Amino acid sequence: MNSTQLPPSWQQALRDEFDKPYFRELQAFLCGERAAHEIYPPESDVFAAFQFTPLDRVAVLILGQDPYHGVNQAHGLSFSVRPGVALPPSLRNIVRELRDDLECPPPTSGSLELWARQGVLLLNAVLTVRAGQPASHQRKGWETFTDAVIRAVNAKAEPVVFVLWGGFAQKKTKLIDATRHAVIASAHPSPLSAKLFFGSRPFSKINAALESLKKPKIEWCL
């Protein structure tokens, strides 16, 4: 797990992070975890969000918190699951809001790769998790790294739409210059707050923001 897994634009923006003590400690922690436990996503997918969406192509950032901790679910994109995997509750609620907001038909899979390929950075604050143990890799260093990612996106010359679902994500507003970028905040799509998420129409709001920034709209229907 190193910078060579990242596209050049991300390598350039994040190059200093890989040499910092916290990142070395994180690498040592993950080495021990993978030796003793099943860790998701697989090592080859940890940086998938960056591989699908190079920094120079980021138009939207959707921030999640933790990878899914079930078998074959997490593959490096926040809220997304591999094709053929049953939709977890938060993703089911996202799909329901897609239908209500944009009249999207039922998706053929829960993979959000289509979004990532269009410039939507699907970033989790923590990029790994122990199987069956949610939040098991929080406060091990990932948050410092992904805060650096958010700062790198914030530093882009072109404005970006930041999508912050739930209180955890909304705490990251301190890293974002809202005078230059668009920020769309609402309740989280998890079952605990879905009643407040439903009707928030995030996808049409993102496209309206992109249009106002003279950027291409995202094709959200999966």
Side-chain angles (χ1 to χ4, degrees), residues 65-210:
Q65 189 164 357
D66 224 29
Y68 295 124
H69 55 88
V71 177
N72 288 332
Q73 290 180 319
H75 65 129
L77 305 178
S78 63
F79 297 105
S80 179
V81 293
R82 297 179 186 281
V85 175
L87 274 58
S90 290
L91 185 53
R92 283 203 304 271
N93 292 334
I94 289 169
V95 166
R96 174 175 160 180
E97 185 62 17
L98 266 178
R99 179 199 68 194
D100 294 345
D101 187 2
L102 299 178
E103 299 183 353
C104 290
T108 55
S109 88
S111 171
L112 305 182
E113 282 186 20
L114 176 67
W115 298 359
R117 292 184 187 278
Q118 296 179 79
V120 180
L121 181 64
L122 295 166
L123 178 69
N124 276 319
V126 175
L127 300 187
T128 55
V129 69
R130 191 185 292 181
Q133 297 187 38
S136 50
H137 287 186
Q138 288 183 8
R139 294 179 293 279
K140 303 297 184 183
W142 277 130
E143 294 91 340
T144 303
F145 179 77
T146 54
D147 278 0
V149 172
I150 294 170
R151 289 190 183 96
V153 175
N154 180 68
K156 277 171 62 83
E158 292 187 356
V160 171
V161 182
F162 288 85
V163 183
L164 307 177
W165 288 333
F168 172 84
Q170 288 160 27
K171 289 177 182 174
K172 304 298 183 179
T173 52
K174 65 181 183 291
L175 305 177
I176 302 164
D177 181 356
T179 66
R180 293 199 310 112
H181 302 290
V183 177
I184 295 173
S186 74
H188 195 278
S190 80
L192 295 173
S193 52
K195 286 183 179 179
L196 298 173
F197 176 74
F198 293 140
S200 63
R201 302 195 55 157
F203 307 103
S204 56
K205 287 178 180 176
I206 295 165
N207 276 353
L210 289 170

